[in-house]
Amino acid sequence: MSYEHLNVANLILTLLRYRTFTLGLAIIVFIGIIAALADTIAPYSPTEFVAGGLEPPSPKHIFGTDDMGRDLFSMTVYGARVSLVVGLLAALLSTVIGTSIGVLCGVVRGFVDAVVMRIIDFMLSLPYLAVALAIVAFLKPSIWIIIVIIAALSWITTAKVVRTHTMSVMGNAFVEAARAVGAGTGRIITRYVLPNVSPMILSSMALNVRGAILFEAALSFLGLGDPSQVSWGTILFYARRAGAFVLGAWWYIVPPGLMIMLTVLGFTLIATGLDEVLNPRLRTT
Amino acid sequence: MLAAVLLAVVLTSLLLASVNTYAAMKIIRTKELKFEFWSLPWFPQSDKAAEVIAKQLEEVGIKLELRRLESSVMYPKIENFEFQAYALATSQSPNPMGMVNSFHSSYCKPGIGSFWCHADPEVDELIDKVKTTTDKEILRKTLWKIQEKLAYESGFIPVYLTQSVKVIRAEWKNYTVMSGGLVEAYDIWSMLYMYKSDKPEENVFKIAFPSDILTLNPFMTVDLRSIWVINLIYDPLVRLDKDLNVVPWLAVSWEVSEDGKVYTFKLRKDVKWHDGEPFTADDVVFTFTEGIKQETSRFLGLKDIVERVEKVDDYTVRFVLKYPYPFFLVDLASGYYYIVPKHLVEGKDLKKWNNENPVGTGPFKFVKRVEGEYIVLEKNHEFWIKGVPKITKVIVKVIPDAQSRFLAIKTGEVDTERYDTPITLVEQAKKDPSLKVVKAPGIWLVYIAFNTYNFFYDPKVFEAIHYAINRTGIIEKANGGYGYPLYTILNEYWHKDLAAPLKFEYNPEKAKKILEEAGWVDIDGDGIREYVGPTLTPTTTTPTPTPTPSPTATATATPTPTAPSATAPVATVTKVVEETVVKTVVSTVEVIRTMFSTVTREVTSVVTDWTPTAVLSVVLLVIGIAIGYVVRRR
């Protein structure tokens, strides 16, 4: 690993040469465009009953309709928005929390580190989904609450990774040199630690997005998502409630399932690409 | 002196208590017509209805914010009246008291398992009258009156009754269709007369259950699956025919005393237990006396009704009631009270009795049960109705998955299933000539209820909701059109002419008018109506800067002398500014207050429910830190 400051332009150019990363990025950009232009793309409102129940795909409803007569294409398109917003915001929040705590522990060490590590151990032993279900049961499941819950439960891995790397950076001679010259802790963190751990932060954030999207889908699938929003998980919940799995109404299940898969794949590819470029040991070329 | 004070305190508290229980419903209004609306995610008939209702009510300015909760979280909160509104389903039986009784003010208490509350001394009086009258006409009129009052005044809004749709193999003939659905527990007739072939050995009836029965003990039945099996092995005193009339069964005839308190039953003399012993009055007296005395769950409801059960002679039994209860026969026929053999059961603890080898008087004998897999029953050749049952063997198979059950019916592995076939599969069954779809009134009454105990009570709003929901539309969307619109707590499919002929046509305009007249107007343009009071109209609520405020125009201006009114524009402007500032401050404070109270409410609800878990977690955490610290030190 090089300890030089990252050159953003260089980094992007390098990344784009990696097919994994480019493919992942292409997928995410594609889904991002769908999400951004949902209002123009979707022919109907995702919550209005516009047709009869469970109509198979037709020119009028290209993904068919659900059991209550909503247009599944529109629902899938709007679902992209909810899933992406939840995924990105929750990942951002959890990365910020995780990074701050990781850097703090790695730099300060001692008692604070010991306490935080015990908390992390404790939280690692919690079954996330069960805890999230319990919390959602008592709080109103709005999209924002769900974002906060996901972030609150998923900052741990980021924190652990960042802490380890911070410690290894702190052990370097140049940090000691900086200290000798009189640099304060703040300066060491901003000038030396953060730039050097940022590759880890980036790739763990990409993984966090993936986790958050899956988590939101799981919550919604159990019927505990925000009922006023249509996400891919919500569509799957409706499908299960309608017995679509039993009925063979494939058009009900396949689009949201594929979209979830595709998005998760996209973010995984991005994370892998980042890892390959920024972590020389993984480089294959 | 002290005694006098104590006495006074006791008397006052008694007085207060009595006043409290008999106080009529108080009007409680929220600031706007916005409710958190709970629904069970795994019950499609009510969950889908909840979605449609929320949408329909939004059109008239009532906002229901849908929230899905698991029953383990939802039911305790509802029982403690910690909710705003919800959509659920309640099961129906031929005895109307099940529904009617719940609206007695004595059920209007948190923590006693009551799901809705209506406290009105007039309704109480009517319910008491129904419970004790012996006159059929008075009974019907009173029940109609109760239904009418509740329809207009209670926060319980019936939406629809589900239709039971079942798939059965087409070769079966001669079955009976009853309320509740084909081959449900009240329906012994299909099981007696149904056949598919003239050769007896081919008449094997196989039915798929989603899960195993819980018990074979007729005293402790809670699930309808167990009752279904027990119903074939044991007999009750009386049964319901296909129109839900009470007909003789083990009892041949009965007489009711003039005051309606003594029922004398003549019993059949040709009945034998499966082990050959004769059935006598002793068995009946034993079953009811012990069932009630040992407080078994099935017989507990009789405790308040039955004073004693006595044997008159070997084939005559007398029930003495505590009061003249008009639904006693219906209750006997529909309450699943099965007669057990005294000579085999005497001396057993009925609550713990597991009845591994049931012996009854019914049309089928118990053969074998493999827990979690199957149950086999065979025809009782000595059954006291000659020539039946035509079915020679009954096999109950446990098939947990709905699709597998349906496929099993399709392939002929089983003939039909317990519980309704999912609506979505019915469409497939219709196309298959080897299958038949049998429809009947179902048991689920889907309704919405508001927390009238401590959150919201304005009967005008409830009346408006009756007009604002399109019941046929809901049935179409929520249950594929399989259902019957309901307007009152009783219905003709279960209670025949006892159901009041009341109907609310879908009419959103009328709903809007009722709401406006009751003082609910959307003044801030967010699509949700706020309460402004019945005398005001939206135009007068927004303050208009009039140069001379006359005392009649704005009531708030009257107490202060109207001196500033002489110096016209400047004073008015400052006044308007002042008003705006005050309004803004007040509304900001209000917003902060509501935010704060919401947060505290949520936090306290979490804390009260999660205290043990939280304490445990903290303790574990501390121990963990301590261990970690010690290990590090070394």
Side-chain angles (χ1 to χ4, degrees):
Chain A
M1 180 190 310
S2 73
Y3 293 118
E4 296 152 22
H5 289 182
L6 289 165
N7 183 334
V8 179
N10 252 343
L11 173 73
I12 292 174
L13 282 177
T14 325
L15 278 170
L16 286 178
R17 276 206 297 275
Y18 277 79
R19 256 178 259 149
T20 39
F21 181 84
T22 327
L23 185 62
L25 194 69
I27 293 173
I28 299 308
V29 166
F30 168 68
I31 290 168
I33 289 172
I34 292 179
L37 301 179
D39 295 322
T40 10
I41 296 174
Y44 304 97
S45 150
T47 50
E48 287 303 319
F49 310 130
V50 290
L54 279 180
E55 286 176 10
S58 64
K60 207 167 159 227
H61 303 283
I62 53 173
F63 282 8
T65 62
D66 76 353
D67 55 317
M68 291 170 89
R70 286 171 289 221
D71 181 55
L72 275 166
F73 178 70
S74 310
M75 287 167 87
T76 314
V77 166
Y78 275 95
R81 191 175 271 186
V82 177
S83 295
L84 273 195
V85 164
V86 170
L88 288 173
L89 284 184
L92 192 69
L93 196 58
S94 81
T95 313
V96 168
I97 300 173
T99 308
S100 331
I101 290 177
V103 168
L104 181 82
C105 287
V107 171
V108 179
R109 307 256 185 126
F111 182 71
V112 177
D113 186 33
V115 171
V116 173
M117 285 320 283
R118 265 358 94 203
I119 293 176
I120 287 180
D121 286 345
F122 171 73
M123 289 194 63
L124 272 177
S125 65
L126 290 176
Y128 289 171
L129 194 60
V131 173
L133 290 184
I135 299 174
V136 170
F138 288 99
L139 297 176
K140 256 191 198 168
S142 79
I143 188 169
W144 308 112
I145 295 270
I146 287 170
I147 289 174
V148 170
I149 291 173
I150 296 176
L153 289 172
S154 61
W155 57 269
I156 304 158
T157 32
T158 315
K160 280 198 108 165
V161 170
V162 170
R163 172 178 169 272
T164 322
H165 282 272
T166 307
M167 281 180 170
S168 87
V169 171
M170 291 296 283
N172 272 294
F174 61 79
V175 174
E176 219 159 299
R179 252 196 227 289
V181 183
T185 313
R187 191 178 163 82
I188 290 175
I189 291 175
T190 49
R191 296 302 296 265
Y192 300 98
V193 176
L194 281 182
N196 279 303
V197 297
S198 53
M200 307 307 139
I201 298 175
L202 276 180
S203 73
S204 91
M205 183 167 161
L207 287 177
N208 277 344
V209 178
R210 185 188 74 167
I213 287 174
L214 279 176
F215 210 111
E216 193 275 337
L219 275 183
S220 302
F221 175 66
L222 293 171
L224 299 169
D226 185 344
S228 61
Q229 306 277 350
V230 176
S231 78
W232 295 326
T234 319
I235 304 176
L236 288 175
F237 162 71
Y238 290 147
R240 185 185 63 153
R241 192 182 63 182
F245 300 87
V246 178
L247 242 172
W250 54 270
W251 62 91
Y252 205 156
I253 314 153
V254 171
L258 266 186
M259 288 303 269
I260 292 174
M261 215 188 76
L262 212 58
T263 318
V264 167
L265 180 72
F267 280 109
T268 315
L269 288 179
I270 288 181
T272 323
L274 277 171
D275 256 356
E276 275 180 13
V277 172
L278 300 167
N279 199 344
R281 267 171 302 170
L282 290 177
R283 264 188 213 169
T284 45
T285 47
Chain B
M1 179 61 191
L2 197 67
V5 170
L6 270 177
L7 191 71
V9 169
V10 169
L11 279 180
T12 350
S13 55
L14 271 180
L15 191 72
L16 278 177
S18 65
V19 165
N20 203 14
T21 38
Y22 280 100
M25 295 297 283
K26 279 195 294 283
I27 299 284
I28 317 169
R29 287 192 188 98
T30 45
K31 239 182 82 196
E32 49 180 7
L33 291 178
K34 189 170 159 190
F35 304 89
E36 208 180 293
F37 188 45
W38 293 356
S39 171
L40 265 190
W42 47 260
F43 199 82
Q45 280 98 334
S46 66
D47 191 45
K48 285 193 202 174
E51 268 183 61
V52 187
I53 290 168
K55 216 169 255 243
Q56 291 179 352
L57 289 186
E58 206 168 343
E59 273 160 34
V60 297
I62 300 172
K63 175 89 183 150
L64 297 179
E65 287 185 312
L66 188 64
R67 183 179 168 190
R68 295 194 171 92
L69 282 176
E70 281 302 324
S71 51
S72 57
V73 179
M74 185 167 158
Y75 291 178
K77 290 211 171 200
I78 291 178
E79 284 171 11
N80 287 311
F81 294 107
E82 289 165 8
F83 71 99
Q84 299 180 359
Y86 66 84
L88 273 183
T90 178
S91 65
Q92 296 297 290
S93 89
N95 184 350
M97 286 323 279
M99 287 303 290
V100 174
N101 236 344
S102 318
F103 292 92
H104 195 276
S105 67
S106 58
Y107 286 89
C108 213
K109 256 181 234 146
I112 59 162
S114 169
F115 265 46
W116 48 82
C117 156
H118 191 78
D120 180 352
E122 266 183 69
V123 173
D124 281 5
E125 227 171 82
L126 291 170
I127 293 175
D128 290 339
K129 194 169 159 195
V130 165
K131 271 186 183 170
T132 50
T133 187
T134 48
D135 186 294
K136 278 220 163 111
E137 201 47 39
I138 293 177
L139 182 74
R140 205 184 68 202
K141 285 272 147 68
T142 323
L143 280 173
W144 280 20
K145 198 156 176 208
I146 292 174
Q147 289 170 67
E148 197 173 320
K149 270 188 85 70
L150 290 176
Y152 283 103
E153 289 166 16
S154 81
F156 177 92
I157 294 153
V159 181
Y160 75 97
L161 182 76
T162 57
Q163 187 173 41
S164 156
V165 188
K166 252 189 201 180
V167 173
I168 185 168
R169 292 205 58 85
E171 58 263 31
W172 286 94
K173 291 174 275 237
N174 208 19
Y175 44 73
T176 312
V177 179
M178 273 178 88
S179 288
L182 183 73
V183 294
E184 291 291 327
Y186 295 123
D187 171 18
I188 190 76
W189 315 103
S190 296
M191 293 306 292
L192 290 180
Y193 296 102
M194 203 161 67
Y195 65 93
K196 67 174 175 186
S197 160
D198 293 332
K199 292 179 203 136
E201 69 277 5
E202 277 177 19
N203 287 323
V204 177
F205 182 70
K206 287 162 287 182
I207 183 166
F209 276 30
S211 53
D212 197 11
I213 61 168
L214 295 180
T215 177
L216 278 167
N217 177 353
F219 292 97
M220 301 302 284
T221 44
V222 281
D223 59 313
L224 284 169
R225 298 184 307 283
S226 304
I227 289 172
W228 193 89
V229 175
I230 290 169
N231 186 47
L232 300 180
I233 305 171
Y234 292 92
D235 281 324
L237 277 185
V238 284
R239 279 201 189 269
L240 296 167
D241 71 2
K242 81 179 221 300
D243 302 317
L244 301 181
N245 299 311
V246 177
V247 293
W249 200 251
L250 282 182
V252 197
S253 63
W254 52 85
E255 272 166 33
V256 188
S257 69
E258 198 71 3
D259 62 356
K261 280 165 79 174
V262 182
Y263 284 71
T264 314
F265 292 91
K266 287 259 178 250
L267 304 178
R268 297 193 74 93
K269 292 178 182 161
D270 53 351
V271 180
K272 279 203 172 100
W273 294 101
H274 293 164
D275 63 358
E277 294 284 319
F279 158 83
T280 65
D282 287 324
D283 298 315
V284 179
V285 174
F286 169 80
T287 303
F288 280 94
T289 316
E290 285 301 306
I292 295 168
K293 204 175 93 191
Q294 298 195 23
E295 299 196 332
T296 59
S297 59
R298 181 51 56 194
F299 284 68
L300 206 57
L302 288 178
K303 205 176 172 170
D304 297 333
I305 302 165
V306 177
E307 166 96 43
R308 61 178 190 276
V309 186
E310 11 172 84
K311 175 181 171 182
V312 179
D313 60 49
D314 266 0
Y315 294 98
T316 314
V317 180
R318 187 185 292 140
F319 285 72
V320 181
L321 307 191
K322 290 183 176 163
Y323 53 85
Y325 181 54
F327 299 105
F328 184 60
L329 281 172
V330 177
D331 195 16
L332 278 187
S334 66
Y336 309 115
Y337 306 116
Y338 297 102
I339 311 300
V340 298
K342 186 186 179 191
H343 65 278
L344 292 176
V345 187
E346 198 169 20
K348 292 219 163 67
D349 180 352
L350 296 182
K351 276 187 179 171
K352 289 179 188 147
W353 180 43
N354 54 13
N355 197 14
E356 275 163 355
N357 205 0
V359 172
T361 53
F364 292 94
K365 282 185 189 173
F366 177 81
V367 178
K368 196 176 176 193
R369 172 183 179 204
V370 174
E371 257 178 68
E373 287 179 34
Y374 63 89
I375 300 165
V376 181
L377 308 176
E378 63 172 17
K379 178 181 172 173
N380 174 13
H381 290 276
E382 251 97 283
F383 187 54
W384 46 270
I385 302 179
K386 296 303 162 211
V388 292
K390 302 225 164 135
I391 296 168
T392 46
K393 207 172 187 186
V394 176
I395 298 173
V396 174
K397 261 195 185 169
V398 178
I399 305 177
D401 177 53
Q403 173 159 40
S404 313
R405 278 201 299 280
F406 181 69
L407 287 178
I409 300 172
K410 256 187 115 149
T411 56
E413 188 192 333
V414 295
D415 296 302
T416 184
E417 62 178 316
R418 183 77 233 302
Y419 296 141
D420 295 358
T421 310
I423 299 299
T424 38
L425 289 173
V426 170
E427 298 305 317
Q428 279 190 30
K430 277 184 182 163
K431 293 174 204 146
D432 191 334
S434 70
L435 302 178
K436 240 187 201 156
V437 175
V438 182
K439 295 180 208 158
I443 63 165
W444 295 108
L445 184 161
V446 175
Y447 66 96
I448 58 175
F450 288 83
N451 178 357
T452 55
Y453 179 75
N454 57 17
F455 189 77
F456 182 85
Y457 183 73
D458 185 344
K460 281 282 160 199
V461 173
F462 301 144
E463 190 190 335
I465 291 175
H466 271 296
Y467 288 108
I469 52 178
N470 176 2
R471 287 172 168 85
T472 40
I474 294 166
I475 296 167
E476 194 56 50
K477 287 286 175 207
N479 209 23
Y482 296 103
Y484 314 88
L486 290 190
Y487 307 92
T488 64
I489 58 165
L490 301 183
N491 60 78
E492 58 185 298
Y493 312 99
W494 283 100
H495 313 108
K496 292 186 288 182
D497 61 339
L498 298 181
L502 200 66
K503 203 174 171 186
F504 296 93
E505 289 294 344
Y506 172 53
N507 188 346
E509 289 314 311
K510 189 164 179 184
K512 283 181 200 162
K513 217 175 133 218
I514 293 171
L515 286 171
E516 250 141 57
E517 278 166 7
W520 294 95
V521 179
D522 180 15
I523 45 171
D524 54 9
D526 60 350
I528 307 169
R529 289 171 190 269
E530 284 82 18
Y531 187 69
V532 292
T535 49
L536 297 171
T537 53
T539 40
T540 50
T541 47
T542 42
T544 40
T546 39
T548 44
S550 64
T552 45
T554 44
T556 42
T558 39
T560 45
T562 49
S565 63
T567 49
V570 186
T572 329
V573 170
T574 43
K575 209 170 164 234
V576 170
V577 171
E578 238 177 63
E579 264 180 24
T580 326
V581 170
V582 169
K583 254 190 139 179
T584 324
V585 170
V586 167
S587 60
T588 321
V589 168
E590 182 59 26
V591 166
I592 295 173
R593 200 193 57 79
T594 31
M595 260 169 60
F596 192 72
S597 70
T598 321
V599 169
T600 15
R601 200 173 57 225
E602 293 295 343
V603 167
T604 45
S605 79
V606 171
V607 167
T608 46
D609 291 305
W610 287 84
T611 321
T613 328
V615 168
L616 195 68
S617 314
V618 169
V619 168
L620 283 177
L621 192 63
V622 169
I623 293 173
I625 291 171
I627 292 173
Y629 207 65
V630 169
V631 171
R632 260 177 75 90
R633 271 282 165 82
R634 261 217 251 135

